[in-house]
Amino acid sequence: MIIAVRIDGRLIHGQVANLWTTKLNITRIMVVDDEVSQSAIEKSGLKLATPAGVKLSVLPYARAAENILAGRYDSQRLLIVAKKPHYLLKLVEAGVPLEEINVGNMSQSDTTTSITRSVNVDEQDVAEFKELNKHGVHLIHQMLPADSAEDFMELLNKKG
């Protein structure tokens, strides 16, 4: 069962590994990223960052969608993590029912615009967030479990 979905450029790190998994009683973290799923080095780093007792899957989006839709995680408490909205939109387009996405952290680059202190987006990200919104996915921004959730589309539209 999908408990939460988070966009975080760092994927698994202190906040995700400790605060979110504990708060939501997560039993499996799924990283959805076609490139990372092909990198043994990145995967071993993610394994090291995953808390003891929590399972980890690092999958390309097509296999992630296939496994979720086949009910492979129905008995588990699943946290899906992606670096950007791209692969989450692909999951939704494949029929995976994502109700809410927490836009936590997206790194700054030469092509990004700052939306919050921790979220920076480029034009493709904006288009993908708008598409997710059209699909009825509720987008929020919440860095830590103790923070209150903000409507991400409102934040995005203010900057747009």
Side-chain angles (χ1 to χ4, degrees):
M1 170 185 0
I2 299 169
I3 302 300
V5 183
R6 181 173 173 88
I7 293 175
D8 198 312
R10 302 163 299 180
L11 296 174
I12 303 173
H13 57 93
Q15 285 176 353
V16 169
N18 299 316
L19 299 172
W20 288 105
T21 54
T22 304
K23 169 83 174 150
L24 301 172
N25 196 22
I26 297 301
T27 59
R28 177 180 296 275
I29 297 172
M30 177 189 287
V31 171
V32 180
D33 190 295
D34 288 12
E35 290 80 27
V36 174
S37 71
Q38 302 303 311
S39 167
I41 292 170
E42 284 192 79
K43 287 199 294 196
S44 65
L46 292 169
K47 279 188 183 113
L48 289 172
T50 302
V54 176
K55 294 179 177 84
L56 172 67
S57 298
V58 182
L59 301 172
Y61 86 87
R63 187 139 156 251
E66 188 181 301
N67 288 354
I68 292 166
L69 294 170
R72 291 206 36 207
Y73 309 107
D74 288 359
S75 65
Q76 299 173 48
R77 295 181 61 83
L78 184 63
L79 169 62
I80 298 174
V81 183
K83 288 182 183 180
K84 290 178 149 258
H86 180 72
Y87 290 121
L88 300 178
L89 177 57
K90 294 271 191 204
L91 288 180
V92 169
E93 289 171 346
V96 175
L98 302 182
E99 291 174 26
E100 183 175 86
I101 296 172
N102 178 359
V103 184
N105 189 300
M106 292 173 66
S107 302
Q108 198 170 0
S109 77
D110 295 342
T111 60
T112 59
T113 303
S114 177
I115 302 300
T116 71
R117 213 164 34 88
S118 60
V119 178
N120 301 277
V121 297
D122 62 25
E123 287 178 22
Q124 182 181 345
D125 298 329
V126 171
E128 289 168 345
F129 281 127
K130 288 181 176 171
E131 199 57 36
L132 282 162
N133 191 48
K134 277 188 204 158
H135 280 280
V137 179
H138 184 222
L139 297 159
I140 63 166
H141 171 64
Q142 185 179 11
M143 275 304 287
L144 305 170
D147 297 342
S148 48
E150 297 176 81
D151 184 309
F152 185 73
M153 288 311 290
E154 277 182 27
L155 296 171
L156 194 63
N157 292 332
K158 274 185 203 164
K159 296 286 180 168

